[in-house]
């Protein structure tokens, strides 16, 4: 029982040990203590999705989890998704489709889009729209984002067919 | 905003957790998935002296089909329930409702126990528990006890679970051959809390029998209207105008989104649509 805690976790493949105030949330820890400012902070109550990161492979809200709850987990941020190449196809199609303007929502959009694609989501625009309904974008009007995600799924299917 | 200052403990047994809650004398609050509690902390609506993290309690884990039905450990996350093999066959109502609860990223951490403990009047799970006649298992300083869903939801965020008790598991009774289920909710945007919704179980469809209808997003809590169920039992569910008059028993609440009158109308619409889908 304490107001600070020692935590050890893997962030983007790197082992990190830190002492954190227990009230500190995960996304603030990532941004301010670890220096990974790719994840953004908008609403701090779970509705905008800008803070979405992966914890043990699941997309979660970084603002709705305490850093101390991430003790022993593996966290992947937008920086990690990019470094490992997992988001490469999405980054290309987001650029091609102009699926970002200010870019504030983009890290969360990429994490959410990836969880849809990795789960085998279909190239169905209505389903994609439903999936990203938890991520706000105040610039693009979503159309281009939905199309960018859809493009990647279609592309993957074509590549798989060609490979088969 | 940022969460206020608090102490934090992660006990490794139920007994230890209950002792911490008892010692906290109301100042200690359980933390499950945090998907409702963290927003309340960040807004400083909730200012506990201590959070008791339930993630290390083996007693609150487990998800299994037993002869009595599906036993859901309180710390089971929505996403784990969604992934349970054959869920659509074992508990079709739950399978139908889960995609409507918040968004993937919330369901990846939010727990069934947390939703039932919070008892948000607009949440889906409480109404489902009412429709299925679920049993909620609690443990506390006076020992374990089971509470039927019908006796559990008492008022606005008020339940039969005392501040020094914990939900350990929830039992969804096994469905019987011939059981039918209906679910419908009206929302402004996919994943939002419902403006009105219903979860229905019936032991037959021609005619309807043994109906249990859980309404959510209508009043201070999830609730059933037995007079309405009685009026529909024995009918084919197509002419429901008379039964709908019993909706007046509900003390519909208005909020910043919609008035109580609109909500009353929506409750009828949700019921009609759910029945129609069930019967076709
Ligand atoms: C953007 C957003 C949208 C959402 N949309 C919906 C929606 O459409 N429908 C819906 O139903 N919910 C919705 N939710 C809420 C979500 O379902 C919550 O996860 C759930 O209500 C609480 O579960 P939790 O495990 O996160 O509990 P926590 O937030 O950790 O706890 C909730 C409360 O329950 C208590 N508690 C937790 N576990 C126990 C236990 N075992 N015994 C006793 N007390 C306990 C805590 O002390 C706290 O008071 C939404 C949340 C967000 C952020
Ligand atoms: S900052 Fe976390 S969802 Fe908005
Ligand atoms: S690009 Fe600006 S919020 Fe989405």
């Amino acid at each position: 029982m304490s107001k600070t805690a020692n935590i050890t976790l893997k962030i983007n493949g790197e082992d990190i040990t830190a002492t954190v105030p227990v009230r500190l949330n995960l996304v603030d820890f990532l941004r301010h203590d670890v220096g990974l400012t790719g994840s953004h902070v908008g609403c701090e109550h779970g509705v905008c999705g800008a803070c979405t990161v992966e914890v043990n492979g699941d997309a979660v809200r970084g603002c709705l989890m305490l850093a101390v709850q991430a003790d022993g987990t593996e966290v992947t941020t937008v920086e990690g998704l990019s470094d490992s190449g997992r988001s490469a196809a999405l980054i290309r199609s987001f650029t091609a489709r102009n699926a970002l303007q200010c870019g504030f929502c983009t890290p969360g959009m990429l994490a959410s889009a990836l969880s849809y694609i990795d789960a085998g989501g279909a190239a169905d625009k209505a389903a994609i729209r439903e999936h990203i309904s938890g991520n706000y974008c105040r610039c693009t009007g979503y159309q281009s984002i939905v199309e960018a995600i859809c493009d990647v799924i279609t592309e993957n299917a074509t590549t798989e067919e060609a490979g088969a | 905003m940022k969460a206020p200052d608090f102490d934090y403990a992660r006990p490794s047994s139920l007994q230890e957790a209950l002792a911490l809650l008892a010692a906290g004398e109301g100042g200690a609050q359980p933390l499950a998935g945090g998907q409702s509690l963290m927003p309340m902390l960040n807004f400083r609506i909730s200012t506990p002296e201590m959070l008791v993290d339930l993630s290390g309690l083996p007693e609150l884990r487990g998800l299994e089909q037993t002869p009595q039905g599906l036993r859901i450990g309180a710390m089971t996350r929505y996403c784990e329930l969604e992934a349970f093999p054959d869920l659509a066959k074992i508990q079709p109502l739950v399978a139908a409702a889960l995609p409507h609860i918040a968004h993937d990223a919330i369901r990846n951490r939010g727990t069934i126990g947390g939703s039932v403990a919070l008892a948000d009047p607009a949440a889906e799970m409480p109404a489902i528990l009412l429709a299925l006649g679920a049993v909620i298992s609690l443990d506390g300083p006076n020992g374990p006890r089971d509470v039927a869903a019908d006796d559990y939801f008492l008022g606005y965020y008020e339940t039969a679970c005392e501040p020094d008790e914990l939900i350990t598991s929830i039992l969804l009774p096994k469905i019987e051959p011939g059981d039918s289920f209906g679910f419908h909710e009206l929302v402004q945007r996919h994943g939002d809390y419902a403006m009105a919704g219903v979860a229905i179980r019936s032991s037959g469809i021609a005619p309807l029998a043994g109906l249990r209808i859980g309404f959510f997003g209508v009043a201070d809590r999830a609730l059933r209207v037995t007079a309405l169920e009685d009026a529909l039992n024995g009918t084919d569910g197509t002419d429901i105008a008379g039964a709908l008059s019993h909706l007046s028993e509900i003390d519909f609440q208005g909020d910043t989104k919609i008035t109580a009158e609109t909500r009353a109308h929506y409750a009828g619409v949700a019921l009609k649509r759910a029945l129609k889908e069930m019967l076709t």
Side-chain angles (χ1 to χ4, degrees):
Chain A
M1 199 190 324
S2 163
K3 300 212 175 199
T4 60
N6 296 321
I7 59 171
T8 303
L9 67 169
K10 232 188 214 345
I11 302 175
N12 299 333
E14 202 182 315
D15 290 314
I16 305 266
T17 300
T19 303
V20 293
V22 292
R23 63 189 275 258
L24 183 70
N25 68 39
L26 177 61
V27 68
D28 282 342
F29 170 69
L30 292 169
R31 288 174 55 83
H32 302 303
D33 295 27
V34 189
L36 293 167
T37 53
S39 311
H40 292 163
V41 180
C43 66
E44 302 189 312
H45 66 280
V47 304
C48 78
C51 63
T52 307
V53 295
E54 273 185 11
V55 175
N56 290 341
D58 294 329
V60 307
R61 298 283 194 253
C63 71
L64 296 188
M65 185 167 174
L66 298 169
V68 61
Q69 290 178 289
D71 185 27
T73 65
E74 285 191 30
V75 176
T76 309
T77 67
V78 69
E79 290 91 343
L81 295 178
S82 163
D83 289 348
S84 68
R86 280 180 59 206
S87 58
L90 275 169
I91 291 173
R92 269 199 308 276
S93 66
F94 267 56
T95 313
R97 285 284 188 182
N98 256 327
L100 63 153
Q101 289 176 29
C102 77
F104 189 83
C105 68
T106 316
M109 281 292 180
L110 290 176
S112 291
L114 211 52
S115 75
Y116 181 81
I117 296 170
D118 288 354
D124 167 349
K125 289 187 186 159
I128 295 173
R129 227 168 242 287
E130 207 158 274
H131 183 84
I132 61 164
S133 64
N135 290 73
Y136 281 179
C137 175
R138 296 282 92 141
C139 301
T140 64
Y142 301 99
Q143 191 65 23
S144 54
I145 297 178
V146 173
E147 275 163 1
I149 299 170
C150 202
D151 282 355
V152 171
I153 299 167
T154 319
E155 242 169 67
N156 286 350
T158 326
T159 328
E160 265 166 42
E161 256 170 48
Chain B
M1 274 182 7
K2 307 295 176 192
D5 214 9
F6 46 74
D7 275 333
Y8 169 90
R10 183 161 48 200
S12 52
S13 74
L14 176 61
Q15 210 181 353
E16 215 185 309
L18 291 175
L20 284 165
L21 290 179
E25 293 176 359
Q29 195 170 7
L31 170 66
Q35 302 304 290
S36 292
L37 188 49
M38 282 292 293
M40 291 192 279
L41 292 171
N42 288 349
F43 279 140
R44 305 206 174 186
I45 294 170
S46 179
T47 53
E49 279 154 35
M50 191 209 298
L51 291 187
V52 179
D53 187 341
L54 305 181
S55 65
L57 309 186
E59 297 91 340
L60 270 55
R61 299 262 163 211
L63 173 60
E64 59 169 341
Q65 179 73 344
T66 70
Q68 290 74 42
L70 188 64
R71 165 88 42 202
I72 307 173
M75 285 299 283
T76 304
R77 297 178 290 155
Y78 293 112
C79 64
E80 290 168 329
L81 194 51
E82 270 178 293
F84 192 74
D86 287 331
L87 183 70
K89 269 193 219 136
I90 297 169
Q91 287 294 345
L93 185 56
V94 177
L98 279 171
H100 296 275
I101 303 176
H103 314 282
D104 268 43
I106 312 287
R107 295 199 298 274
N108 282 340
R109 285 201 58 81
T111 66
I112 308 301
S115 175
V116 177
L118 185 68
D120 190 295
E124 288 84 353
M125 274 328 278
I128 289 169
L129 264 49
L130 288 176
L132 295 176
V135 178
I136 297 130
S137 296
L138 308 172
D139 209 338
N142 300 321
R145 62 188 182 113
D146 286 344
V147 182
D150 282 335
D151 303 322
Y152 177 84
F153 301 101
L154 302 179
Y156 199 61
Y157 297 106
E158 196 192 332
T159 72
C161 181
E162 299 294 335
D164 55 1
E165 287 184 307
L166 286 172
I167 299 178
T168 51
S169 72
I170 292 142
L171 179 76
L172 304 183
K174 208 175 192 133
I175 66 169
E176 302 292 335
D179 278 357
S180 291
F181 302 94
F183 181 85
H184 194 85
E185 67 174 38
L186 292 158
V187 287
Q188 285 181 325
R189 198 176 58 125
H190 180 84
D192 280 359
Y193 278 109
M195 296 184 287
V198 291
I200 309 176
R201 176 195 164 278
S202 176
S203 43
I205 45 171
L208 294 165
L211 271 174
R212 295 180 64 96
I213 307 178
F215 286 91
F216 57 101
V218 294
D220 61 341
R221 66 202 150 90
L223 51 83
R224 292 171 60 202
V225 181
T226 45
L228 181 145
E229 292 170 357
D230 291 343
L232 287 172
N233 278 329
T235 75
D236 66 2
T238 48
D239 181 12
I240 67 165
L244 280 182
S245 67
H246 295 288
L247 283 177
S248 62
E249 280 185 26
I250 300 178
D251 183 14
F252 287 99
Q253 304 286 313
D255 61 19
T256 49
K257 277 189 199 165
I258 52 170
T259 62
E261 290 72 33
T262 311
R263 188 157 258 145
H265 174 66
Y266 284 179
V269 172
L271 179 61
K272 259 186 245 171
R273 289 186 185 169
L275 280 173
K276 195 170 166 202
E277 206 182 338
M278 240 174 104
L279 301 170
T280 45

